[in-house]
Amino acid sequence: MTIAPTITTERLTLRPFRLSDFTEYAAFLASDRAVHMGGPHTQKTAWSWFCNDIAHWPLFGFGGLMIEDSIGRKLGQVSVTKGMDFPEAELGWFLFDGFEGKGFAGEAALALRKWIYAHNKLESLVSYVGRTNRASIALAERMGAELDETAPTPNGDPCFVFRHPSAYEVLI
């Protein structure tokens, strides 16, 4: 059974969710900014996803973490999850309004990917990215992920599947 870790980078702290994080999490999912994730979503869906991100840790040894900056502002979320609808473990991220374009998502996603590969038996990860989500497409490519046109998508939904470098490639 794995307890969610706290991971630090030069500028960020990735930490386990707290109940007090739900307000910002749900507000993001209810906004038009969640369009690439099938949103906007209801508070009920947000609660389900929030609890799912937390429950993944003891069940699978990976899950969601809140992203904070050095002064404690909540910036967004990063996760590795494999829900019932996901054919493979997915590295995902989102940032709250006003924190885009500063490299936070990439820094957080790279740190979590490295931690997962070092502490979990996963050997590969994918990112499911909306076909019009230019920012996440660019980030996946900057992280060294490559488009895998043969990989299945969640529920057969139209999205891109970016395959990340393997654990071996990242940890050597």
Side-chain angles (χ1 to χ4, degrees):
M1 191 156 139
T2 302
I3 297 172
T6 297
I7 302 167
T8 56
T9 70
E10 185 176 321
R11 302 181 301 158
L12 305 174
T13 298
L14 315 179
R15 61 154 177 84
F17 288 139
R18 299 177 188 134
L19 184 57
S20 60
D21 298 329
F22 181 68
T23 301
E24 291 93 340
Y25 186 99
F28 170 83
L29 289 176
S31 75
D32 289 337
R33 298 192 61 241
V35 69
H36 300 296
M37 301 168 66
H41 295 284
T42 65
Q43 190 165 25
K44 182 176 180 179
T45 297
W47 180 250
S48 175
W49 289 13
F50 185 78
C51 292
N52 180 63
D53 285 347
I54 295 168
H56 263 74
W57 286 106
L59 295 173
F60 302 107
F62 49 82
L65 297 171
M66 184 60 55
I67 306 168
E68 286 187 349
D69 65 10
S70 60
I71 59 173
R73 292 181 300 179
K74 297 173 195 176
L75 309 180
Q77 177 259 21
V78 64
S79 64
V80 171
T81 54
K82 188 184 182 316
M84 291 177 60
D85 297 333
F86 288 3
E88 299 184 60
E90 189 225 14
L91 174 61
W93 53 82
F94 62 76
L95 293 175
F96 301 143
D97 194 27
F99 297 111
E100 310 89 347
K102 298 172 176 64
F104 296 135
E107 188 174 331
L110 285 168
L112 180 57
R113 183 176 77 183
K114 184 176 179 180
W115 190 95
I116 291 295
Y117 282 161
H119 295 91
N120 193 288
K121 293 181 181 174
L122 289 176
E123 294 183 12
S124 70
L125 292 166
V126 298
S127 290
Y128 301 114
V129 180
R131 292 179 181 266
T132 60
N133 189 344
R134 290 188 197 130
S136 285
I137 291 167
L139 175 53
E141 291 172 341
R142 281 194 306 276
M143 293 176 64
E146 296 181 353
L147 187 61
D148 183 347
E149 296 184 39
T150 65
T153 64
N155 300 312
D157 293 342
C159 69
F160 290 131
V161 180
F162 283 90
R163 186 161 305 282
H164 289 268
S166 70
Y168 174 78
E169 294 169 299
V170 168
L171 296 176
I172 58 169

